[in-house]
Amino acid sequence: DSAPIEVLSITDSTNLQLMQRLQQGEVLPKGLVLVAEAQTAGRGRHGRLWYSPFAASLSFSMAWQLEQGIQAAMGLSLVVGVAVAEMLEADYQLSPQLKWPNDIYLAGKKLAGILIELSGQSDGRCQLVIGIGINVQLPAGQAARQIDQPWADLTSVLGTLDRNQLVARLQSRCAGQLRRFELLGFAPFQAEFNRRHLFANQAVQLMQGQQLVRGICHGVDAQGNLVIENQGKKQLFHGGELSLRAE
Ligand code: BTN
């Protein structure tokens, strides 16, 4: 019962393409995937550019609907990270970690990122575009100059890999876990997220707007809020443009 997979050679941004189609009123089947071999204007979080020339990265966007309304978006975004991590474990025997809210790391370096965009609400349902970018084979010299943090890619650890198979596995794992989330909510994913959390029980700092918050990271609660303990007091953080780093 899997939804269609559409493939483009090159495009500006697979997220942007699906967003535009939604805005034009097209009804996208739930789970429809658009992938591109390369993007000229790949979008990252915090308005950054996602580096995605030919072969370097897998640019994957999936259409979805949020039946429970916008308040479920936070949990959903964490579930997508859990799904990508599980796929990498089950299908590629890797041991990825998650950085809240949903960055995927391998041996302390960023392997993949997730950007979820929302296209309006009608009759209480939101249309979503779930964008996943996985580094496949980054060209060392050039990439090192364009990416602002240490990165990992799949080819370095796995050797050559079948991109079609990767796309199919990603679609099936994400759609499966999102359906599970729709039935059960975030609670069953709490432990699945926390046991992979990059900063579990470590000193972290978090920028919330202009404010710097420091404390010990206790992963997420049953709603998906990030829990940071500061002088014996637990503070909860959710959503938005927060950015977490190690002290
Ligand atoms: C991040 O900043 O970590 C999120 C990166 C998300 C990149 C993916 S690649 C496929 C999809 N299309 C985009 O333009 N962005 C996302």
Side-chain angles (χ1 to χ4, degrees):
D1 65 337
S2 56
I5 296 176
E6 298 179 3
V7 183
L8 293 173
S9 170
I10 186 163
T11 189
D12 43 11
S13 149
T14 53
N15 262 32
L16 179 62
Q17 287 298 313
L18 291 189
M19 288 294 282
Q20 285 174 345
R21 285 163 63 178
L22 287 171
Q23 274 144 23
Q24 285 154 11
E26 188 176 333
V27 179
L28 299 177
K30 200 167 180 175
L32 172 122
V33 165
L34 176 66
V35 291
E37 297 285 323
Q39 299 179 120
T40 54
R43 313 216 275 214
R45 292 178 72 234
H46 308 289
R48 287 193 286 247
L49 203 75
W50 183 257
Y51 181 71
S52 33
F54 278 100
S57 117
L58 176 72
S59 303
F60 175 105
S61 294
M62 187 167 84
W64 201 256
Q65 285 102 40
L66 252 185
E67 320 289 347
Q68 308 97 316
I70 180 83
Q71 66 281 2
M74 180 70 219
L76 180 139
S77 84
L78 300 176
V79 167
V80 175
V82 169
V84 175
E86 278 189 338
M87 185 274 300
L88 293 167
E89 288 164 7
D91 299 327
Y92 297 96
Q93 290 73 52
L94 298 176
S95 305
Q97 292 182 296
L98 292 166
K99 192 184 86 165
W100 189 87
N102 53 21
D103 285 344
I104 291 116
Y105 278 66
L106 210 52
K109 297 172 187 164
K110 184 157 168 173
L111 174 72
I114 295 169
L115 176 70
I116 299 181
E117 301 188 68
L118 196 72
S119 169
Q121 274 175 281
S122 60
D123 53 46
R125 296 163 89 216
C126 322
Q127 307 291 326
L128 297 179
V129 173
I130 298 170
I132 304 174
I134 303 183
N135 295 331
V136 174
Q137 186 171 22
L138 294 178
Q142 202 190 352
R145 284 198 295 278
Q146 301 210 23
I147 303 178
D148 58 357
Q149 57 178 314
W151 49 264
D153 65 10
L154 287 179
T155 305
S156 307
V157 282
L158 298 173
T160 47
L161 117 165
D162 182 334
R163 289 171 69 96
N164 295 342
Q165 195 174 45
L166 177 63
V167 172
R169 288 169 167 176
L170 202 50
Q171 183 194 40
S172 103
R173 186 71 61 164
C174 288
Q177 291 296 40
L178 287 171
R179 292 205 187 276
R180 184 165 160 244
F181 169 70
E182 287 176 343
L183 291 173
L184 304 172
F186 184 73
F189 292 94
Q190 182 189 4
E192 294 176 20
F193 183 92
N194 283 338
R195 74 182 170 79
R196 300 183 176 93
H197 199 228
L198 184 61
F199 296 141
N201 302 314
Q202 284 181 37
V204 293
Q205 55 181 49
L206 181 75
M207 280 305 290
Q208 190 183 38
Q210 298 301 318
Q211 201 202 340
L212 179 70
V213 180
R214 301 188 127 104
I216 303 296
C217 179
H218 292 294
V220 296
D221 69 8
Q223 282 74 48
N225 299 302
L226 183 72
V227 183
I228 293 186
E229 185 183 328
N230 189 327
Q231 295 172 335
K233 270 201 334 216
K234 286 190 173 163
Q235 270 184 285
L236 301 182
F237 297 88
H238 55 268
E241 296 284 275
L242 301 175
S243 135
L244 179 68
R245 58 189 61 198
E247 272 281 16

